[in-house]
Amino acid sequence: MPLDNEHLLHEDSIDPPKGFFERHPGTPNIPGGWDEYLKLYNQSIENPAKFFGEKAKEFLSWATPFTDARYPPGNGFQNGDSAAWFLNGELNASYNCVDRHALKNPDKPAIIYEADEPNQGRTVTYGELLKDVCRIAQVLTDLGVKKGDTVAVYLPMVPEAITTLLAIVRIGAIHSVVFAGFSAGSLRDRILDADSRIVITSDESLRGGKIIETKKIVDEALKSCPDVRNVLVFKRTGTPHLPWVEGRDLWWHEEIIKHVPYSPPVNVRSEDTSFLLYTSGSTGKPKGIQHSTAGYLLGALLTTKYVFDVQGDDILFTAGDVGWITGHSYVVYGPLLNGATTVVFEGTPAYPDYSRYWDIVDKHKVTQFYVAPTALRLLKRAGSKYVQNHDLSSIRVLGSVGEPIAAEVWEWYNEYVGRGKAHICDTYWQTETGSHIIAPIAGVSKTKPGSASFPFFGIDPVILDATTGEELKGNNVEGVLAIRNPWPSMARTVWKDYNRFLDTYLRPYEGYYFTGDGAARDQEGFYWVLGRVDDVVNVSGHRLSTAEIESALIEHNLVGESAVVGFPDELTGSAVAAFVSLKKDVDNPAEVKKELILTVRKEIGPFAAPKLIILVSDLPKTRSGKIMRRILRKVLAGEEDSLGDISTLSNPSIVEEIISTVKRDA
Ligand code: PRX
């Protein structure tokens, strides 16, 4: 639906801060402010092919121009399918991120690397990045990687992670990054599912002063991946105790010097796949979310340009990992497509102390800072003294991502970090959306603490009644969030499973993309994302599937059944609680609980570890055997008065036992 001011009253919202303009080096990318946003937004909704066609021509470099900006022409999801974009066009992602800037301005910094230890970083210029990307592209070609092949990446946050991604897409191959906090088992599953034959990793990683034995995890995973031919290893720590498989393992530094500093990019078609990124859904099996090339690039480029108002000389610091979509879109692609400088930070916000982010901002004069609320909660709790003694006057935009930001955390961010002079942009989006879909435009949109505000160009959000699927029109409505039309950077499919893609996103509510989130539109038209309505828990901004954790727990030989639910946590947003019934009585339940936590750490990764394990003799089930997680959630929240009718359970008496166990243990 087009937006108009009549429905957007903005009475109790906050204007873009004046300080944003005082700190601005020139003119914002949407100089006409709110009226221009409305005009552009309405154009993007009324004629997406025209709107995005023009933007794609203006901002992307094409080897072969596209003929049709959108197929099928028109609007909306037609016949239950999504749309394809920029047909018959050809381009290369690494050319768009690197070559075109390097050719003009080779000495401009592309990457500022902040190593785990302060003062051990370095800067990589666009010219240097181009050479490294070209050399690694040739290494990969030598290893037999061809257009359309997938390459698995398991790397820490070092500049070589960016080089790797861009080298892969330079030869038309597909990157499949696995967050380096995932366990060997999770890495193995993703390598097998994506059918990757090459893995790129490091000897070890450093985070918060701790060493992680990255290559050993890869070796463990590869025990069950017979098709992996080679492992390219970047030397990060130079540990002398590195296991090595002769013939399979190759050193990055030895391979890279074999090649010349330039190799031409391999052009791909717009809709060719640029990457897979696995994410959790309602079932135990992670989905390989598959993204296009041109549409994805355009989404990352435009949102970085407009939401964050990135200008050519800006320095963007996204404190997220390249193993998640935030790292893909706003550490790598968005900043580089815009020719800006991106900060690659290897460490944690608490090392060497809680002022690390602010040290980095001051040291490099960061203009846009972007992080998940979970880090802000930690820093707020640590005390404002860590931020107060910093200048921070370079910052114009403060972004938030991954989970709802509570009003008091928003206010803290605004007051202590932004000093009232930065625009706070709470960006709502998902792995599947590729780039921001609901977010304030810096310097343009009014904001309210906790609301992601208004849709980005080309996004037509709707609130639906969860049960009937009926659209809830007007303001002051609450339901599930869906999008009425396809947009260029949305995922194209689940790797090798289009049917699952349709089942998850396009079939639940016909004619819409279903986000899986609950949301409200308030009396002034602002959107408020209320959290997942499916079995997904958001822990510290990491998306976890309860079913996946349940499958991990069952690997322990004592576990009979388990049910995993999320519960509110002050620091991590949500935390994981696992209700477990054991196959037999045990003498030492505390020990078993520890083992269960270890099992999840080992099967998935440390970040998925349950905060609470509750041993019970049975789980509440319907007569058909379905576990009633809703009851478990209510018991954990102390809402046992509102459990509803439990007499229809096959085992109603278990509820009393669960309530008293939770009271005792939780
Ligand atoms: O529930 C929403 C939450 O994170 C989910 C997407 O997770 P993921 O694919 O891992 O991507 C995270 C980084 C974009 C969403 O379905 N979410 C994301 N951003 C916000 C949010 N919830 C509230 N407010 C946000 N700004």
Side-chain angles (χ1 to χ4, degrees), residues 279 325-326 400-404 426-432 515 517 529 532 538 543:
T279 190
I325 192 69
T326 303
S400 172
V401 58
E403 41 174 340
D426 174 4
T427 62
Y428 167 76
W429 58 299
Q430 311 175 302
T431 306
E432 296 86 337
T515 61
D517 283 303
V529 177
R532 304 288 306 194
N538 199 327
R543 181 166 156 185

Side-chain angles (χ1 to χ4, degrees), residues 424-443:
I424 311 282
C425 295
D426 174 4
T427 62
Y428 167 76
W429 58 299
Q430 311 175 302
T431 306
E432 296 86 337
T433 69
S435 50
H436 305 150
I437 58 168
I438 300 184
I441 307 271

Side-chain angles (χ1 to χ4, degrees), residues 642-661:
S642 57
L643 292 182
D645 182 11
I646 55 166
S647 63
T648 54
L649 295 179
S650 68
N651 52 353
S653 61
I654 193 65
V655 177
E656 267 314 306
E657 179 197 312
I658 292 176
I659 292 173
S660 55
T661 313

Side-chain angles (χ1 to χ4, degrees), residues 102 104 157 298 373 394 428 440 503 524 528 569 582 593 625:
K104 264 197 235 140
M157 285 294 285
L298 188 65
S394 54
Y428 167 76
D503 276 349
E524 297 187 317
W528 298 75
D569 182 272
L582 299 177
K593 285 186 192 182

